[in-house]
mmCIF file of all heavy atoms in Angstrom:
data_model
loop_
_atom_site.group_PDB
_atom_site.id
_atom_site.type_symbol
_atom_site.label_atom_id
_atom_site.label_comp_id
_atom_site.label_asym_id
_atom_site.label_seq_id
_atom_site.Cartn_x
_atom_site.Cartn_y
_atom_site.Cartn_z
ATOM 1 N N ARG A 3 78.126 129.920 100.243
ATOM 2 C CA ARG A 3 79.633 129.906 100.268
ATOM 3 C C ARG A 3 80.140 131.262 99.847
ATOM 4 O O ARG A 3 79.541 131.992 99.060
ATOM 5 C CB ARG A 3 80.135 128.845 99.357
ATOM 6 C CG ARG A 3 79.611 127.410 99.794
ATOM 7 C CD ARG A 3 80.154 126.302 99.005
ATOM 8 N NE ARG A 3 81.539 126.106 99.399
ATOM 9 C CZ ARG A 3 82.333 125.308 98.655
ATOM 10 N NH1 ARG A 3 81.977 124.692 97.588
ATOM 11 N NH2 ARG A 3 83.592 125.136 99.071
ATOM 12 N N ASN A 18 74.813 133.024 91.311
ATOM 13 C CA ASN A 18 76.069 133.542 91.682
ATOM 14 C C ASN A 18 77.318 132.565 91.334
ATOM 15 O O ASN A 18 78.269 132.993 90.820
ATOM 16 C CB ASN A 18 76.113 133.900 93.148
ATOM 17 C CG ASN A 18 77.308 134.745 93.526
ATOM 18 O OD1 ASN A 18 77.860 135.456 92.664
ATOM 19 N ND2 ASN A 18 77.676 134.674 94.789
ATOM 20 N N GLY A 20 76.628 128.960 90.224
ATOM 21 C CA GLY A 20 76.152 127.674 89.703
ATOM 22 C C GLY A 20 74.942 127.885 88.835
ATOM 23 O O GLY A 20 74.628 128.994 88.392
ATOM 24 N N TRP A 22 72.471 127.176 85.531
ATOM 25 C CA TRP A 22 72.659 127.131 84.093
ATOM 26 C C TRP A 22 73.796 127.962 83.665
ATOM 27 O O TRP A 22 74.070 129.075 84.204
ATOM 28 C CB TRP A 22 71.368 127.509 83.393
ATOM 29 C CG TRP A 22 70.210 126.626 83.605
ATOM 30 C CD1 TRP A 22 69.126 126.824 84.363
ATOM 31 C CD2 TRP A 22 70.122 125.246 83.099
ATOM 32 N NE1 TRP A 22 68.381 125.681 84.354
ATOM 33 C CE2 TRP A 22 68.885 124.682 83.656
ATOM 34 C CE3 TRP A 22 70.902 124.410 82.337
ATOM 35 C CZ2 TRP A 22 68.449 123.413 83.362
ATOM 36 C CZ3 TRP A 22 70.485 123.188 82.096
ATOM 37 C CH2 TRP A 22 69.282 122.659 82.599
ATOM 38 N N CYS A 36 76.327 122.193 89.074
ATOM 39 C CA CYS A 36 75.675 121.831 90.319
ATOM 40 C C CYS A 36 76.330 122.497 91.506
ATOM 41 O O CYS A 36 77.319 122.015 92.053
ATOM 42 C CB CYS A 36 75.656 120.350 90.504
ATOM 43 S SG CYS A 36 74.920 119.421 89.120
ATOM 44 N N GLN A 38 76.042 122.972 94.628
ATOM 45 C CA GLN A 38 76.240 122.440 95.961
ATOM 46 C C GLN A 38 77.304 121.354 96.092
ATOM 47 O O GLN A 38 77.740 121.044 97.177
ATOM 48 C CB GLN A 38 74.925 121.921 96.534
ATOM 49 C CG GLN A 38 73.911 123.039 96.790
ATOM 50 C CD GLN A 38 72.658 122.437 97.447
ATOM 51 O OE1 GLN A 38 72.430 121.268 97.452
ATOM 52 N NE2 GLN A 38 71.756 123.342 97.887
ATOM 53 N N LEU A 43 86.142 124.885 89.968
ATOM 54 C CA LEU A 43 85.950 124.573 88.595
ATOM 55 C C LEU A 43 86.836 125.477 87.705
ATOM 56 O O LEU A 43 86.942 126.665 87.912
ATOM 57 C CB LEU A 43 84.518 124.826 88.144
ATOM 58 C CG LEU A 43 84.193 124.757 86.710
ATOM 59 C CD1 LEU A 43 84.411 123.340 86.157
ATOM 60 C CD2 LEU A 43 82.813 125.316 86.379
ATOM 61 N N GLY A 52 81.159 129.371 67.670
ATOM 62 C CA GLY A 52 82.545 129.782 67.406
ATOM 63 C C GLY A 52 83.192 130.580 68.476
ATOM 64 O O GLY A 52 84.412 130.728 68.478
ATOM 65 N N ASP A 60 86.327 129.323 92.562
ATOM 66 C CA ASP A 60 86.555 128.593 93.797
ATOM 67 C C ASP A 60 86.167 129.501 94.972
ATOM 68 O O ASP A 60 85.715 130.626 94.830
ATOM 69 C CB ASP A 60 88.048 128.106 93.894
ATOM 70 C CG ASP A 60 89.047 129.240 93.981
ATOM 71 O OD1 ASP A 60 88.685 130.412 93.917
ATOM 72 O OD2 ASP A 60 90.248 128.917 94.140
ATOM 73 N N LYS A 85 82.967 108.361 93.203
ATOM 74 C CA LYS A 85 83.042 107.895 94.585
ATOM 75 C C LYS A 85 81.706 107.885 95.292
ATOM 76 O O LYS A 85 81.363 106.976 96.056
ATOM 77 C CB LYS A 85 83.995 108.819 95.408
ATOM 78 C CG LYS A 85 85.414 108.863 94.815
ATOM 79 C CD LYS A 85 86.192 107.652 95.154
ATOM 80 C CE LYS A 85 87.651 107.866 94.704
ATOM 81 N NZ LYS A 85 88.138 106.763 93.902
ATOM 82 N N ASN A 87 78.628 109.269 93.480
ATOM 83 C CA ASN A 87 77.582 109.448 92.439
ATOM 84 C C ASN A 87 76.950 110.830 92.521
ATOM 85 O O ASN A 87 75.904 111.043 91.915
ATOM 86 C CB ASN A 87 76.499 108.414 92.561
ATOM 87 C CG ASN A 87 76.995 107.025 92.218
ATOM 88 O OD1 ASN A 87 78.096 106.915 91.618
ATOM 89 N ND2 ASN A 87 76.337 106.014 92.608
ATOM 90 N N VAL A 98 78.431 122.577 72.596
ATOM 91 C CA VAL A 98 79.834 122.805 72.782
ATOM 92 C C VAL A 98 80.677 121.973 71.897
ATOM 93 O O VAL A 98 80.517 120.747 71.819
ATOM 94 C CB VAL A 98 80.216 122.631 74.277
ATOM 95 C CG1 VAL A 98 81.726 122.751 74.508
ATOM 96 C CG2 VAL A 98 79.433 123.474 75.183
#
Side-chain angles (χ1 to χ4, degrees):
R3 300 183 75 191
N18 192 26
W22 296 108
C36 303
Q38 293 183 350
L43 172 66
D60 66 355
K85 303 284 185 230
N87 293 343
V98 175

